[in-house]
Amino acid sequence: MNRSAPGGDLRVRLCYLLPLAAGALLLIPALVPHIFFLQDGSLSATVNLFDLLGYIRAEAKEAVRAESGSVASSTYYFALLMSILTVASWFLTVWYGAFAVGTAAVSVWSFAAPPSQAVNTAKRVYRIFVPNRTAYSLFCFLPLLPALMPVLYTRLLRSMLGMTVSVHFYGAPDWIYALAAGLLCAISFFLLLRVQAEKRMDLFRIYKTN
């Protein structure tokens, strides 16, 4: 077996734990009220990201119901689009959680013992949901759509309904946190590909058992 510096083991372990750690950190701004809107000089209540997604979904659902059966209008299309985006946001949030937990669990188990049939089976199951390294890197950015929803909401209000609404944040916008977390996870993963190969610590390779 080709061996490299001992620190390589720890770097790879931490690399595969990063999506879970990043997801936990992203929950902090997502759960803390820090988003508010300004319309015609009036301030809205301060909400967190998850509350905002729920509010947009409920508002869009009510608008779609009210507009159904009548001539389609810009309000109907706006509500329909927001419904799709909020459902996609919740789906991607859940998918990212499953990806992060699954990656952490399989990596901890795989790296704790020599290659075995059980470990290889776990890797094969993992690769059904995360088929390759490109998919892994893309999945690191799944929280980006939910994080962009406050900005998308105001932009679509302006472009589709002509409403002048601006969104403001206490601290940085959520999408900046999500983008930074995604870049950290994806870049560290690709920078350590050589170390993964040298240490036989690659979730996307099946190693021979003894």
Side-chain angles (χ1 to χ4, degrees):
M1 183 190 305
N2 191 13
R3 297 182 181 274
S4 60
D9 293 30
L10 180 59
R11 293 199 302 268
V12 175
R13 292 175 189 273
L14 292 177
C15 171
Y16 281 109
L17 294 175
L18 266 180
L20 183 60
L25 290 175
L26 288 175
L27 280 177
I28 297 175
L31 292 172
V32 173
H34 67 288
I35 305 168
F36 63 95
F37 298 88
L38 179 63
Q39 181 180 10
D40 299 328
S42 299
L43 291 175
S44 69
T46 304
V47 296
N48 64 44
L49 181 59
F50 290 150
D51 285 341
L52 178 62
L53 289 176
Y55 168 77
I56 294 174
R57 170 62 178 161
E59 186 181 58
K61 186 177 180 180
E62 184 64 28
V64 169
R65 185 183 296 114
E67 294 284 332
S68 62
S70 61
V71 177
S73 64
S74 57
T75 300
Y76 174 82
Y77 289 120
F78 170 79
L80 187 60
L81 179 57
M82 295 313 300
S83 293
I84 294 171
L85 288 175
T86 50
V87 169
S89 294
W90 285 117
F91 174 79
L92 294 181
T93 299
V94 173
W95 186 262
Y96 181 83
F99 158 70
V101 171
T103 298
V106 175
S107 67
V108 168
W109 185 28
S110 298
F111 303 154
S116 66
Q117 290 295 336
V119 167
N120 287 341
T121 298
K123 285 185 176 182
R124 289 187 178 97
V125 172
Y126 175 78
R127 285 167 57 181
I128 293 174
F129 301 97
V130 189
N132 50 48
R133 296 176 182 86
T134 300
Y136 180 99
S137 63
L138 291 176
F139 287 176
C140 292
F141 295 92
L142 290 178
L144 197 54
L145 176 61
L148 279 168
M149 280 300 291
V151 176
L152 291 175
Y153 179 60
T154 53
R155 293 289 177 86
L156 291 172
L157 278 174
R158 187 179 303 115
S159 63
M160 298 183 72
L161 301 183
M163 297 175 62
T164 305
V165 181
S166 58
V167 62
H168 302 272
F169 304 86
Y170 293 113
D174 295 75
W175 67 267
I176 291 182
Y177 299 127
L179 180 60
L183 288 172
L184 176 63
C185 294
I187 290 174
S188 63
F189 174 75
F190 281 107
L191 287 178
L192 289 170
L193 285 179
R194 182 176 179 180
V195 179
Q196 293 179 46
E198 291 174 347
K199 290 290 186 174
R200 292 165 60 90
M201 298 174 71
D202 190 340
L203 290 191
F204 298 95
R205 288 186 180 180
I206 301 299
Y207 299 110
K208 293 182 179 180
T209 58
N210 295 327

